[in-house]
Amino acid sequence: MNDASPVRGTPRPAPTLPDTQTVTEVKHWTDRLFSFRVTRPRSLRFRSGEFVMIGLPGEKGKPLLRAYSIASPSWDDELEFYSIKVPDGPLTSRLQHIEPGDPIILRPKPVGTLVHDALLPGRRLWFFATGTGIAPFASLIRDPETYEKYDEVILTHTCRARAELDYGGQLVNDLERDPLIGELVAGKLRYYPTTTRQDSPRMGRITTLLRDGTLLRDLEIAGITPETDRAMVCGSLGLNADLREILEGFGLREGANSAPADYVVEKAFTG
Ligand code: A2P
């Protein structure tokens, strides 16, 4: 289901209450997934791939906050987020009903490990995402720095059903046609979507496709090596653990902001 054209409100300045921003656009992609845009605090600087705490007022005035990757690139005037809807999730059960004009709490302290600074220079960069784990990569694939640093950028995205790939698919499509960054992206960004519970042109968990050689064969890549390849991983705890093992098997070492290396991992927001 992709019924919704985005609902946009009339542009308005960011509210003056501390840490409060205004929702400018909401788009429902499936009954489980939605994206939204909010005003950006003028002072907020972040690195593509980082996350911030956002949320709504909770009981007794205590804010209910969760970590959300910023899905928009650092040059964008607004901030974009991509979220799952959990029917009984304390935050998302309410957040899924936001509309343009609504206030949202945003703590302007971006952090995270899915950043270029945490990786040593390389030739090829892999983004491995499942579900809403595509959000930090939605930011990174729109960042010119990604294409300045790497000759080849591969985004894999695995979801249960085809419609859950729409957000990423549309993004990649739009990017290739973008007058500003399209030329940088062309010929460098490769997109590899797969589904696990509904038929689609490519099926299977990315871990399986990596282990059995299908992924590398499909992309006509000879192998993943610490000399050429760097990777960022964002998904469930299970996916992250499995990919860690696979990447270590290829000889890649985990990096951090304080000690850059070959790959980095972060858990996608799920609640
Ligand atoms: P599967 O359908 O086989 O569980 P979810 O919607 O539960 O967050 O999952 C998103 C996608 O991530 C699904 O396609 C799911 O596959 C896949 N996935 C979940 N756990 C792992 C894992 N440990 N390794 C690889 N893929 C995983």
Side-chain angles (χ1 to χ4, degrees):
M1 178 180 87
N2 180 5
D3 54 347
S5 35
V7 182
R8 270 204 83 87
T10 38
R12 65 188 81 197
T16 47
L17 266 181
D19 291 0
T20 301
Q21 298 301 318
T22 303
V23 177
T24 58
E25 184 178 313
V26 181
K27 184 165 178 175
H28 294 272
W29 295 88
T30 71
D31 53 3
R32 284 201 331 138
L33 294 163
F34 69 115
S35 61
F36 55 98
R37 293 173 70 83
V38 308
T39 51
R40 175 175 177 171
R42 216 170 273 164
S43 59
L44 177 67
R45 298 274 170 276
F46 68 96
R47 296 176 295 173
S48 297
E50 287 188 315
F51 64 82
V52 286
M53 303 300 289
I54 62 172
L56 296 169
E59 278 168 29
K60 295 181 193 143
K62 202 168 163 267
L64 186 54
L65 300 173
R66 294 285 183 273
Y68 269 86
S69 290
I70 301 172
S72 46
S74 48
W75 48 259
D76 202 328
D77 289 342
E78 294 180 339
L79 298 174
E80 182 176 309
F81 299 96
Y82 184 53
S83 179
I84 196 152
K85 307 174 193 178
V86 182
D88 52 0
L91 179 60
T92 61
S93 60
R94 292 174 50 209
L95 194 63
Q96 63 180 287
H97 300 297
I98 53 168
E99 289 177 3
D102 286 352
I104 197 159
I105 301 167
L106 187 149
R107 297 266 191 260
K109 294 191 184 62
V111 286
T113 57
L114 303 179
V115 291
H116 285 303
D117 292 342
L119 294 178
L120 294 170
R123 207 186 68 65
R124 183 164 44 222
L125 180 58
W126 297 84
F127 294 134
F128 293 108
T130 57
T132 55
I134 195 172
F137 307 138
S139 175
L140 281 154
I141 61 168
R142 290 186 265 187
D143 185 341
E145 190 183 355
T146 300
Y147 305 96
E148 284 153 14
K149 288 204 146 132
Y150 294 90
D151 297 338
E152 200 177 358
V153 178
I154 299 163
L155 170 65
T156 83
H157 190 203
T158 304
C159 293
R160 298 178 187 190
R162 283 195 305 271
E164 295 169 347
L165 295 168
D166 285 349
Y167 174 74
Q170 188 165 314
L171 200 73
V172 171
N173 247 315
D174 291 350
L175 200 53
E176 284 162 354
R177 295 197 181 94
D178 189 286
L180 292 177
I181 197 177
E183 224 167 283
L184 263 181
V185 171
K188 279 199 172 183
L189 177 64
R190 305 178 73 184
Y191 173 54
Y192 192 91
T194 82
T195 58
T196 50
R197 301 192 193 185
Q198 187 185 29
D199 283 348
S200 77
R202 279 206 196 89
M203 293 198 62
R205 285 185 164 199
I206 202 68
T207 43
T208 309
L209 300 170
L210 247 176
R211 282 199 179 101
D212 70 10
T214 306
L215 175 66
L216 294 180
R217 237 188 347 268
D218 285 352
L219 296 174
E220 297 181 342
I221 290 172
I224 294 180
T225 71
E227 285 73 40
T228 51
D229 293 79
R230 301 291 173 262
M232 296 192 188
V233 181
C234 191
S236 62
L237 282 178
L239 178 273
N240 292 355
D242 291 352
L243 263 175
R244 232 187 215 113
E245 194 186 307
I246 294 172
L247 294 172
E248 295 276 341
F250 287 127
L252 273 62
R253 288 159 306 120
E254 186 164 2
N257 275 283
S258 54
D262 308 323
Y263 76 91
V264 280
V265 176
E266 210 148 70
K267 190 177 167 300
F269 170 70
T270 48

